[in-house]
Amino acid sequence: MAMTLFGTLAFMLVLNVPISISLGIAAITALTTGTMNTNMVVIAQILFTSLDSFPLMAVPFFILSGDLMERGGISKRLIEFARVLLGKLPSSLAIITTIASAFFGAISGSNAATVAAIGGIMIPNMEKAGYPKDRAAAIAASSGTLGVVIPPSISIVTYAIIANVSIGTMFMAGFIPGLMLATAIMIVSIITCKGFEIKQTEKFTFIKLSKAFLDAIWALFMPILILGGIYGGIFTPTEASAVAVVYSFLVAMFIYKELTWKDLPEILSKSAASTAAILFVVCLSAPFSWLMTSANIPIAIASAVLNAFSNKYVIFFLVNLILLFLGCFLETQSIILLITPMLLPLVTGLGMNPIALGIIMVINTSIGMITPPMAVNLFVASGIAKISIGDMSKRIIPFLLAEIGVLLLLTYLPAIITWLPLVSGLM
């Protein structure tokens, strides 16, 4: 069954069949040609029950809230506040891009949305300040990787559901790794972009800072409201996602007044399409995962790896290598849904906490978004800057290496990931 399952999946992917369809065809083929005496109706049942999940409802709500805030002026207010606060630092526009991406990632939970919202404003501004197009686009694309690491995150929600761990604990665990990634990106920006930026002559004043802060306060308060509500026990992560939609709608429509009733059909349509794409992969991956578990494939893979390699640090390195490789070809949700059932028994058997594994997987898949050919962040940034992916690729390498460095540090020191949940009493 394992040969049929993975052989069919590989064949479908070689034919360039979408990953969701490939997973479904592989499961049906393995079930009909294998030795399991199971009625095909079980596939339909699994498809339905995989989506009959209360925690999974957080996905469409977080997507919708991100789209509402993107259209409602959140990004430009965050950028203006960061510009006034950090404008005198070296490579200040690059730093502002990264910090604004971190804040927006805490609202949208999406890499592509973060690059589009922040990069759409910052790339032209960086060009005007003297940055070459390729470097400006590379900074925006690499900063966009924070979108799925800084909580709340759609990818973290997906992993938590598959691994059966607390979404709130996963959110808490993502803070320190997210800040480490942001710091690494900013350090690379300062080193590689020195001398490009035309110095600002505008003087810093607390009046300007206060004005920018007051203008952005509703945007800055949203992550505090959502995460504070979760950790304060006021609402669950799923309920928090619904609160995020209501809050973002009210702020964008009645406070910032940049959202109109005419915008809603387009926003709802966009959010529905994004949700459908994610949930389609989720439901079609469920029969695949069920068959793997029924055939004890994850346990067999774990045993084979443990028999081949005795050093857990070598195994952790190989796990990262596999995830980084898959990130070059598959999108985040597909990797998490496909690989989590196989990796979980392996790494937990070696002593790694499932929470740490989840953050490491999310970072791996996020790095894949700046690694061709499936480099979604590069596609978005190159479209904004109007340059080719090839022109950007060599400029993204320092950022890629820095993020991989942070990834390896977290892999071999997973206590960094679990420290905050532990001290906060969530673990």
Side-chain angles (χ1 to χ4, degrees), residues 135-160:
R135 290 192 186 273
I139 292 165
S142 58
S143 298
T145 59
L146 301 171
V148 297
V149 181
I150 302 286
S153 161
I154 297 166
S155 298
I156 288 177
V157 171
T158 303
Y159 173 84

Side-chain angles (χ1 to χ4, degrees), residues 67-403:
D67 288 340
L68 286 169
M69 293 304 283
E70 180 183 351
R71 181 66 67 88
I74 174 67
S75 54
K76 68 181 182 182
R77 284 170 173 81
L78 289 173
I79 289 169
E80 179 59 22
F81 173 63
R83 187 191 68 79
V84 175
L85 182 64
L86 305 168
K88 292 298 181 180
L89 293 177
S91 305
S92 62
L93 290 180
I95 294 172
I96 289 167
T97 302
T98 302
I99 292 176
S101 295
F103 271 105
F104 194 83
I107 295 169
S108 70
S110 166
N111 277 2
T114 302
V115 177
I118 305 300
I121 296 173
M122 290 307 300
I123 290 176
N125 283 332
M126 282 190 280
E127 287 180 49
K128 290 176 184 176
Y131 287 76
K133 275 188 178 183
D134 53 356
R135 290 192 186 273
I139 292 165
S142 58
S143 298
T145 59
L146 301 171
V148 297
V149 181
I150 302 286
S153 161
I154 297 166
S155 298
I156 288 177
V157 171
T158 303
Y159 173 84
I161 293 168
I162 299 299
N164 196 27
V165 295
S166 166
I167 296 175
T169 305
M170 285 293 302
F171 281 173
M172 182 67 78
F175 277 110
I176 293 178
L179 292 175
M180 290 173 65
L181 281 175
T183 302
I185 293 167
M186 286 188 287
I187 290 172
V188 173
S189 296
I190 292 170
I191 294 171
T192 59
C193 299
K194 187 178 180 181
F196 287 138
E197 189 169 322
I198 300 169
K199 290 295 179 183
Q200 294 188 35
T201 56
E202 185 180 356
K203 289 184 178 181
F204 171 85
T205 65
F206 283 103
I207 295 175
K208 290 179 181 177
L209 179 62
S210 300
K211 184 179 178 182
F213 174 76
L214 290 173
D215 195 32
I217 193 168
W218 293 102
L220 295 170
F221 182 68
M222 184 175 177
I224 298 171
L225 171 68
I226 301 307
L227 297 171
I230 293 172
Y231 299 126
I234 301 171
F235 37 69
T236 67
T238 303
E239 292 164 347
S241 64
V243 171
V245 171
V246 175
Y247 180 87
S248 57
F249 173 77
L250 293 176
V251 170
M253 178 71 77
F254 300 110
I255 297 176
Y256 291 161
K257 297 180 180 179
E258 294 195 18
L259 182 70
T260 66
W261 293 105
K262 291 181 179 179
D263 295 327
L264 290 180
E266 182 185 346
I267 292 171
L268 291 170
S269 176
K270 179 184 175 184
S271 299
S274 299
T275 301
I278 292 172
L279 296 186
F280 193 57
V281 178
V282 170
C283 74
L284 284 175
S285 69
F288 190 94
S289 298
W290 175 76
L291 278 173
M292 283 199 305
T293 305
S294 300
N296 292 320
I297 293 172
I299 297 173
I301 291 172
S303 300
V305 173
L306 290 173
N307 290 331
F309 302 96
S310 57
N311 190 312
K312 69 176 184 178
Y313 298 109
V314 174
I315 296 173
F316 289 160
F317 181 79
L318 290 174
V319 166
N320 276 317
L321 205 61
I322 292 168
L323 288 169
L324 288 170
F325 175 76
L326 290 173
C328 296
F329 301 97
L330 303 176
E331 56 92 27
T332 301
Q333 302 296 325
S334 302
I335 297 172
I336 291 174
L337 292 163
L338 182 63
I339 301 298
T340 300
M342 289 185 280
L343 287 185
L344 202 55
L346 172 62
V347 299
T348 52
L350 294 171
M352 181 179 285
N353 192 289
I355 299 295
L357 172 64
I359 298 300
I360 288 167
M361 285 190 68
V362 168
I363 293 174
N364 265 293
T365 57
S366 188
I367 290 173
M369 293 194 174
I370 56 171
T371 311
M374 280 293 292
V376 177
N377 288 13
L378 297 189
F379 295 147
V380 176
S382 65
I384 295 169
K386 295 181 173 55
I387 58 173
S388 68
I389 297 292
D391 292 335
M392 281 184 62
S393 294
K394 60 183 178 181
R395 300 303 182 193
I396 207 72
I397 291 173
F399 297 99
L400 185 62
L401 294 176
E403 294 195 28

